[in-house]
Amino acid sequence: MKFEGKHGSNGTSVVKRQPDIDKKHQANGKPAANGKPAANGKPAANGKPAANGKVEVYREPEANGKQSALGKNLNTYTWEEIQRHNQETDQWLVIDRKVYNVTNWALKHPGGPRVLNHYAGGDATDVFRAMHLDLDVVRLYIKPLLIGELAPGEPSQEKNKNSKLIEDFQELRRLLEAKNMFKADLGFFFLHLVQILILEVLACLILWNFGRSWAVTLLVSFILTVSQAQASFLQHDIGHQSLFKKSKWNHLMHKFVMCHLKGLSTNWWNYRHFQHHVKPNIYPKDPDVDVGPLFLLGELQPIKYGQKKIKYINYEKQHLYFYMVAVPLLMPVYFNLQSMQVMYLRRYWADIAWVITFYIRYFITFGPFYGIIGTVLLIHFVKLLESPWITYVTQMSHIPMKMSQEENQDWISTQVLATCNVEQSFFNDWFTGHLNFQIEHHLFPTMPRHNYHKVAPLVRSLCAKHGLQYVDKPMLKAFGDIVRALKKSSALWTDAYYKT
């Protein structure tokens, strides 16, 4: 068996087998039925030159556990070669020094295709570990996408990243895994769900016993608002798969809480929220900060709009109409309509069926008192009351923090610089659903929230060691910083717009 090396037209190292091998490869890296090599000249998924110039053979086990006679040879690539494949139509990424071509698989990715594209051409090791629950299962899915590995002389991360910080963070994660910090206390989450259900039942009992007067309606609406807000926090936990060890149970429970208890789509939330997590405050990759033309956030957007003389709205007043638009309308209008639109356009039939059960339950429960129209108004009134709660809790940790375009930073820097914490107290923990520990949540999204306060001192210490600013502030200051940040951005727009 002979091998001879040559270079493809894109400069990528290719290892070509001589015709005496009867296992050839198609363009997708799989064995071709006709035994012909791939027509596109791209590297086969099995060529792996060793450091000495020869080819090492990695033998895959057969179904019976034995090694197959034909091995799988991996190509080796430099970071310069990998970074060329960073387009939507050509996506490679690195996980644990292995190189994967995820171009054709991106549309099938459970977290949505954009999450993969955000890391195309780079190292995705830490985000891969952070966002997935069962790594062994996920590796089975991506195994057919393996096309090579980093060349022996290449660092594990891109050369511009702080390798020592990355090593320390990965060591911290191993320590937390050893201490079972990723193991959920099911009793904690059971009590949280019971709280939500008791509030729902309590609202019904009050109506049945006292009728539908204005005072009773306001009381019932307040009780349902608390239930809905706490359900928002619980679905957030489940969406990150921090409850059960098996993903399928998390997915099922997520449907129940998000679709049945809240009337919103889980798929819509996942695709949107996971983009935010992998690239927080990175414009335009994070949909939570790409909110133009209504609001201009950070420093780059306002200056860009101002220099181009763009004035869809008077952005000088955005910190004022934040109270009139974002605060009351986030939940009943923006999230609600976007969820329905995504479910309909993308044909999420399971989500649609589950959401229908939400409305059926409300019509059965409250229809006898308010009728169909009155029940619909009650639903939206509750969402209107919930909206300020969710708006302030979700925005206080991000809008005042650094926003930028893609800088290709390491995972820990990307998360810490874009987030901040709010001081811990029993009320703060309950009121925010433990999202007052936003830094720890962003670094370890699958960690159960009841463990955030345990790992916070270790994260703070790591940040201090490497000069990362770990921000922890009082809640009222965090709320005020939202408006102060909007006002600062509006001033930047004003200066750029009126500058001659």
Side-chain angles (χ1 to χ4, degrees), residues 163-421:
S163 60
K164 182 58 179 173
L165 172 60
I166 294 171
E167 290 171 7
D168 287 348
F169 173 71
Q170 292 174 349
E171 179 60 32
L172 173 60
R173 183 178 180 90
R174 286 190 288 269
L175 174 64
L176 299 179
E177 289 172 347
K179 290 180 175 293
N180 289 323
M181 289 293 103
F182 292 87
K183 183 178 180 181
D185 179 354
L186 295 183
F188 171 89
F189 290 107
F190 174 75
L191 291 176
H192 190 83
L193 177 61
V194 168
Q195 168 198 203
I196 295 167
L197 298 179
I198 286 176
L199 290 171
E200 296 269 347
V201 173
L202 179 61
C204 298
L205 291 176
I206 290 174
L207 271 175
W208 279 99
N209 284 279
F210 298 101
R212 58 165 191 167
S213 67
W214 280 106
V216 170
T217 299
L218 290 175
L219 177 60
V220 166
S221 299
F222 173 77
I223 293 172
L224 291 176
T225 297
V226 176
S227 175
Q228 285 291 294
Q230 293 300 319
S232 292
F233 301 138
L234 181 58
Q235 75 81 23
H236 177 259
D237 299 320
I238 305 169
H240 282 294
Q241 305 193 59
S242 62
L243 265 72
F244 302 109
K245 294 181 180 179
K246 296 293 184 181
S247 295
K248 63 179 181 180
W249 294 114
N250 285 308
H251 293 320
L252 179 61
M253 192 65 178
H254 197 203
K255 297 287 186 190
F256 174 74
V257 176
M258 185 60 157
C259 298
H260 178 69
L261 293 184
K262 291 196 60 63
L264 297 172
S265 167
T266 57
N267 286 327
W268 157 77
W269 184 87
N270 285 340
Y271 288 1
R272 176 188 178 91
H273 192 64
F274 292 163
Q275 288 185 73
H276 161 70
H277 261 271
V278 300
K279 292 293 181 179
N281 285 16
I282 303 298
Y283 178 83
K285 295 181 178 181
D286 180 0
D288 287 2
V289 301
D290 187 14
V291 290
L294 188 57
F295 291 98
L296 303 179
L297 306 180
E299 298 180 357
L300 298 179
Q301 280 181 299
I303 294 175
K304 176 183 176 182
Y305 272 57
Q307 290 176 342
K308 292 186 176 182
K309 307 301 180 184
I310 299 175
K311 188 180 181 180
Y312 296 111
I313 303 173
N314 186 0
Y315 297 114
E316 292 180 81
K317 308 296 183 183
Q318 69 170 6
H319 58 289
L320 298 177
Y321 66 72
F322 168 77
Y323 295 106
M324 297 180 289
V325 178
V327 171
L329 301 182
L330 179 70
M331 293 298 295
V333 177
Y334 183 62
F335 277 3
N336 206 41
L337 292 181
Q338 193 179 68
S339 170
M340 291 183 177
Q341 178 189 35
V342 169
M343 282 192 295
Y344 172 74
L345 293 178
R346 299 185 182 178
R347 304 295 191 266
Y348 294 147
W349 301 118
D351 280 8
I352 291 173
W354 274 98
V355 168
I356 288 174
T357 67
F358 164 82
Y359 288 97
I360 290 175
R361 177 171 58 85
Y362 259 72
F363 288 137
I364 291 175
T365 304
F366 301 105
F369 301 96
Y370 298 107
I372 294 177
I373 296 178
T375 301
V376 172
L377 292 176
L378 176 66
I379 291 172
H380 284 83
F381 182 59
V382 170
K383 290 182 181 293
L384 185 72
L385 294 179
E386 180 196 8
S387 190
W389 190 339
I390 299 302
T391 300
Y392 276 107
V393 168
T394 56
Q395 302 308 308
M396 67 182 181
S397 299
H398 295 294
I399 286 183
M401 304 305 291
K402 177 185 176 182
M403 296 187 187
S404 65
Q405 292 181 321
E406 181 60 75
E407 296 177 350
N408 196 28
Q409 292 182 309
D410 56 83
W411 170 256
I412 183 172
S413 297
T414 299
Q415 306 305 316
V416 172
L417 295 177
T419 56
C420 70
N421 282 6

Side-chain angles (χ1 to χ4, degrees), residues 26-178:
Q26 296 175 331
N28 60 5
K30 296 181 180 180
N34 60 6
K36 294 181 180 181
N40 60 3
K42 292 185 178 181
N46 65 349
K48 176 189 173 186
N52 58 7
K54 297 181 180 180
V55 174
E56 298 175 358
V57 177
Y58 166 75
R59 302 193 180 280
E60 289 190 288
E62 295 177 337
N64 59 6
K66 297 180 180 180
Q67 296 290 336
S68 60
L70 291 174
K72 183 175 182 180
N73 311 301
L74 296 177
N75 292 326
T76 60
Y77 303 101
T78 64
W79 278 114
E80 182 181 0
E81 294 166 336
I82 294 166
Q83 288 168 344
R84 297 192 191 112
H85 303 271
N86 62 351
Q87 304 300 316
E88 187 174 341
T89 55
D90 182 19
Q91 304 179 49
W92 291 10
L93 50 80
V94 177
I95 300 172
D96 290 323
R97 298 189 63 85
K98 303 296 183 184
V99 183
Y100 298 87
N101 184 345
V102 299
T103 307
N104 296 326
W105 186 71
L107 291 175
K108 302 176 183 178
H109 183 234
R114 292 183 180 178
V115 174
L116 295 180
N117 184 245
H118 292 344
Y119 273 86
D123 177 58
T125 301
D126 287 323
V127 65
F128 174 80
R129 293 173 180 171
M131 300 300 293
H132 296 105
L133 182 63
D134 193 333
L135 297 183
D136 291 335
V137 172
V138 180
R139 285 190 178 101
L140 291 177
Y141 280 95
I142 65 174
K143 186 177 180 181
L145 312 177
L146 180 66
I147 60 171
E149 64 182 5
L150 289 174
E154 290 292 308
S156 295
Q157 298 85 26
E158 298 96 315
K159 296 180 177 67
N160 64 305
K161 294 184 178 178
N162 186 341
S163 60
K164 182 58 179 173
L165 172 60
I166 294 171
E167 290 171 7
D168 287 348
F169 173 71
Q170 292 174 349
E171 179 60 32
L172 173 60
R173 183 178 180 90
R174 286 190 288 269
L175 174 64
L176 299 179
E177 289 172 347

